[in-house]
Amino acid sequence: MTAPLLDVIELSKRFTLRDGRQLQAVDGVSLNVKKGQTLGVVGESGCGKSTLGRLILRLLEPSSGAVRFMGHDITLLSGTQLREVRKHLQVIFQDPQAALDPRMTVGRLIEEPLVIHRMGSAQQRATEVSRLLETVGLPAEAAKRYPHEFSGGQRQRICIARALALQPQLIVADEPVSALDVSVQSQVLNLLGDLQRARGLSYVFISHNLAVVKYLSDTVAVMYLGRVVEMGAAAEVFGNPRHPYTQALLAAIPEPAPPAGCVRRTAEAVPLLGELPSPDNLPGGCRFHTRCPQAMERCKTAAPQPVQLGTAARVHWVECHLWA
């Protein structure tokens, strides 16, 4: 079997608070992404999705674990080696307005990665900037304008063009459409899909919107309080969710009203009890037991181990005592 492009192994991140307490943002996460595929990471706000994305990019230093990208553990690299790997590993942030320097023209913003990595002459870079703008559906003349002159969707296209400048292998997209109007979201999602097919890109797509993740992803990882509690092929996770948390998330997706005369089929809602615990005061045993409608006595004291439910070719595993 072909080695994965990205292999995350038991990755953890702890933050020390001012009073000395430890906040466990990411705890022992393992996953992988193959070339040309998309891994969707979903979960509630505060579950550790964005922290995981930043650890993969090494924008944050992990407390433990490894991130192997193109065969290299990037947590061990520094200097020239890390710079070389980062050419192939790029990011699209959630807020395009905050991600773009308002004092720089669009052309300079897109050219900046090429300048940093000393790629091409000034004329070659200008030609590449024009090509990248046209690739994301913007005119070449946009290079002379400033970010504030564009709409939110156009600014996100500029961010995508900048991420493509170094011809990366993997892009971490952290909530890339959540700040956009619904009509614009579909345009950006279609653009990401077209770019993936044309360039063989791989994505780690972070979102709390399950409908978006279902549309784009080959594999889905569901996070809760720093742990991946269920992961598998998108068709398996969405079609046959096993973890009570995943079931609750899917049941909460609003569905459009069916045409007259059609029978509406919906998943039975699974109510979540209580409030989301704080990451600096995690419950013992299974972290979800304080809100789980199917919690058992042992859920309060024993942390569940991963249980594989799928096959080697169609992996689907879950951390839940119900399937032990």
Side-chain angles (χ1 to χ4, degrees), residues 114-133:
L114 300 172
V115 173
I116 291 173
H117 290 275
R118 302 175 183 177
M119 298 175 66
S121 64
Q123 182 58 46
Q124 289 171 327
R125 292 195 297 268
T127 301
E128 180 65 7
V129 167
S130 298
R131 188 184 70 81
L132 287 167
L133 284 169

Side-chain angles (χ1 to χ4, degrees), residues 5-84:
L5 180 68
L6 174 72
D7 199 7
V8 175
I9 306 166
E10 290 294 322
L11 195 62
S12 296
K13 179 62 179 179
R14 293 181 298 277
F15 294 99
T16 302
L17 304 179
R18 290 182 179 179
D19 59 7
R21 289 178 300 157
Q22 296 285 308
L23 188 153
Q24 188 78 49
V26 175
D27 185 12
V29 169
S30 297
L31 48 83
N32 61 69
V33 182
K34 295 180 180 179
K35 183 173 176 60
Q37 292 192 341
T38 299
L39 168 70
V41 182
V42 300
E44 293 173 281
S45 297
C47 72
K49 305 186 301 295
S50 293
T51 301
L52 175 62
R54 283 161 171 74
L55 290 170
I56 291 172
L57 294 161
R58 205 178 155 188
L59 297 178
L60 290 173
E61 295 293 335
S63 301
S64 61
V67 179
R68 297 189 63 84
F69 177 67
M70 297 178 64
H72 302 281
D73 185 351
I74 66 172
T75 62
L76 304 177
L77 301 181
S78 61
T80 304
Q81 291 178 313
L82 182 59
R83 179 189 291 259
E84 183 62 28

